[in-house]
Amino acid sequence: MNLLYKAALFLYSLSIRIAAFLGNEKAKNFIAGRKNIFAQIQNKLQPNEKRIWVHAASLGEFEQGRPIIEKIKSQYPNYKIFLTFFSPSGYEIRKNYNGADYIFYLPMDTRKNAERFVKMVDPSIVFFIKYEYWFYYLSTLKKKGIPTYLCSAIFRPSQAFFKWYGGWFRQMLGCFNHFFVQTEESRRLLETISITNATVTGDTRFDRVYSIASAARELPEIELFAENKPCLIAGSSWQPDEELLCEYLNESTGIKFIFAPHEIDEAHIQHIEKLIEKKVVRHSQWKNNAQGDFDVLIIDNIGMLSSLYRYGQVAYIGGGFGKGIHNILEAATFGLPVIFGPNYKKFREAVDLKANEGAFSISNYDELKHILDKLFADYVFFNKSATTAKQFVTENIGATDKILSSIRLN
């Protein structure tokens, strides 16, 4: 199995290099960020430090781990936080995050890299967020006796760990000292493969979005745009989402629409604009010239979305017609009913919130129109859904404190 793992990593690296050669920006960043990575790390590290290594695959996992990082910094200021990312979509956006002392790409998982990295960083303790199981890194940490924890983990029966052929994969789980899992179902699944060092602590994302809502920025230009009218916020939207929403907005009256698309390249922004038959303006233009009665605002920058939701009544979260929905909790914490596409069942918060009618899944335009018409026209229905969404977040905060109360640092 080790040979297959090495082969898979080799093919993955090769595909990244080919994509970079063909001009893919993320692939270019993936390679450039790892160039001379050990020299970069060695030049930054200071001697005689105590360090905690936190690894997040990408941006979503970083936001999930952020409450843990910030709680550690406040409770244990004598420790330095060493944060790594696998994906450019996490590193490139958060490489200047001031809550961590060191931020780097994670070198590719080879035996040599893992041993060199762990020796160089010399962490006192390690947190992996939600997932990412790197065989050589985990094996090296276990061999060196460095406490390693998986936080906000969630497991599904379809994963290789729980299959008859999953012995090699289960070896990686055996490298963790403890699992802090989101659900009782995950804990029971681990028990089926004789892993009992797991505690149900919930999802640290609830702590993160709750703190975001508490410290949300005021955006006067957004308030001016909304004009106290019903407003739909489309967060992290993709083309299939936008096509449905634009069909609805072209038929609607008296409703404002704000798009914060997942990709903000010029071609994508122009495509959205072509779908819209009403007066539309980009945020970059609106800020410079807040004139005109616009119906649609397109956010053509990164970093505003979490504060945008405070100005909406309903949220549509993108990704449900692709690999899976994006973060619905950022909207729910502001008390916005949430709508998303059909690919949501891997996301426990979406399943639970939908079951209680704080969220709704749609598969086509007719379903979208039905639920939006009802939310905008039926105040009792809207209020119940909005209250459910907000309470869902507040009732699930506290995972960060549960995790750190189980861990002792000097």
Side-chain angles (χ1 to χ4, degrees):
M1 185 60 78
N2 277 8
L3 289 176
L4 289 176
Y5 182 68
K6 289 178 181 178
L9 288 177
F10 172 79
L11 291 174
Y12 181 82
S13 297
L14 180 62
S15 68
I16 291 291
R17 293 186 180 280
I18 292 172
F21 177 76
L22 295 175
N24 183 282
E25 198 64 31
K26 287 184 178 179
K28 288 181 180 179
N29 287 334
F30 185 97
I31 293 171
R34 288 173 168 83
K35 187 175 181 180
N36 300 319
I37 186 68
F38 288 104
Q40 292 182 50
I41 294 171
Q42 189 67 67
N43 289 337
K44 290 286 184 69
L45 289 178
Q46 300 298 312
N48 303 317
E49 291 180 332
K50 293 192 291 185
R51 304 185 192 101
I52 294 173
W53 174 23
V54 179
H55 176 67
S58 190
L59 184 60
E61 291 71 40
F62 164 77
E63 292 296 333
Q64 208 161 11
R66 188 167 175 167
I68 295 173
I69 293 172
E70 294 177 358
K71 196 80 171 182
I72 289 172
K73 290 293 285 185
S74 65
Q75 290 187 351
Y76 304 98
N78 56 321
Y79 280 85
K80 302 295 183 181
I81 301 294
F82 195 103
L83 174 64
T84 57
F85 289 95
F86 183 76
S87 168
S89 60
Y91 176 82
E92 297 300 330
I93 293 174
R94 290 291 180 256
K95 60 186 176 184
N96 296 316
Y97 167 60
N98 60 13
D101 301 282
Y102 303 101
I103 305 176
F104 288 97
Y105 279 102
L106 182 69
M108 291 296 290
D109 187 33
T110 66
R111 186 189 305 276
K112 182 178 178 181
N113 281 353
E115 291 178 352
R116 187 178 180 186
F117 178 90
V118 172
K119 181 179 180 180
M120 186 176 289
V121 176
D122 190 25
S124 300
I125 191 170
V126 179
F127 295 96
F128 276 46
I129 308 301
K130 190 178 180 180
Y131 66 93
E132 286 241 304
Y133 308 97
W134 297 115
F135 180 80
Y136 292 112
Y137 280 106
L138 291 171
S139 299
T140 301
L141 291 167
K142 182 178 181 180
K143 183 171 66 176
K144 290 182 174 294
I146 298 171
T148 304
Y149 301 93
L150 188 61
C151 300
S152 292
I154 193 159
F155 292 95
R156 299 181 303 277
S158 59
Q159 290 174 301
F161 309 119
F162 309 105
K163 303 297 185 180
W164 62 268
Y165 54 81
W168 183 83
F169 297 94
R170 290 191 284 273
Q171 287 182 44
M172 289 188 282
L173 296 186
C175 295
F176 288 99
N177 292 72
H178 203 86
F179 298 86
F180 297 104
V181 298
Q182 295 185 27
T183 65
E184 178 65 21
E185 290 83 351
S186 289
R187 188 192 67 78
R188 289 174 182 169
L189 263 177
L190 289 174
E191 275 192 343
T192 66
I193 53 174
S194 301
I195 293 177
T196 58
N197 54 329
T199 304
V200 180
T201 51
D203 189 347
T204 51
R205 281 183 302 168
F206 288 96
D207 299 333
R208 174 61 185 150
V209 298
Y210 186 77
S211 68
I212 288 173
S214 302
R217 290 181 291 152
E218 291 187 4
L219 301 170
E221 74 278 13
I222 304 301
E223 185 174 6
L224 180 63
F225 169 81
E227 295 181 316
N228 294 317
K229 292 181 180 179
C231 184
L232 184 146
I233 311 290
S236 299
S237 60
W238 292 82
Q239 185 172 328
D241 309 301
E242 292 149 3
E243 290 174 352
L244 293 179
L245 288 168
C246 287
E247 185 174 353
Y248 183 83
L249 75 85
N250 288 334
E251 296 178 356
S252 66
T253 57
I255 301 171
K256 297 278 189 169
F257 291 80
I258 300 176
F259 286 89
H262 185 71
E263 301 288 350
I264 58 169
D265 58 277
E266 181 63 22
H268 190 191
I269 298 293
Q270 287 185 14
H271 179 77
I272 298 173
E273 291 171 332
K274 289 177 182 177
L275 294 171
I276 298 169
E277 298 172 2
K278 295 191 173 185
K279 295 184 69 175
V280 57
V281 65
R282 301 184 188 190
H283 181 262
S284 56
Q285 299 166 344
W286 175 259
K287 287 186 68 176
N288 295 329
N289 184 23
Q291 304 293 324
D293 184 22
F294 294 100
D295 302 292
V296 185
L297 176 66
I298 299 176
I299 306 300
D300 52 353
N301 61 64
I302 293 174
M304 288 181 62
L305 182 57
S306 61
S307 293
L308 277 177
Y309 291 121
R310 67 184 295 175
Y311 299 99
Q313 278 69 51
V314 176
Y316 181 102
I317 306 302
F321 288 93
K323 293 182 178 179
I325 59 173
H326 294 281
N327 191 338
I328 69 169
L329 296 179
E330 287 185 347
T333 192
F334 284 99
L336 273 64
V338 181
I339 304 171
F340 40 75
N343 190 0
Y344 69 91
K345 293 180 180 177
K346 289 183 179 180
F347 302 87
R348 180 59 184 263
E349 68 278 8
V351 173
D352 290 347
L353 197 53
K354 179 178 179 293
N356 292 290
E357 292 195 328
F360 307 90
S361 175
I362 58 99
S363 298
N364 53 54
Y365 176 70
D366 289 340
E367 292 175 358
L368 176 68
K369 177 174 170 53
H370 172 77
I371 191 60
L372 283 177
D373 284 349
K374 191 171 184 180
L375 285 169
F376 284 125
D378 186 338
Y379 177 77
V380 173
F381 178 74
F382 166 82
N383 192 53
K384 179 180 180 295
S385 180
T387 301
T388 297
K390 190 173 184 66
Q391 286 180 345
F392 179 70
V393 175
T394 57
E395 290 171 359
N396 283 281
I397 60 176
T400 303
D401 288 338
K402 291 176 184 176
I403 291 170
L404 294 183
S405 68
S406 303
I407 295 169
R408 294 289 178 265
L409 293 169
N410 297 324

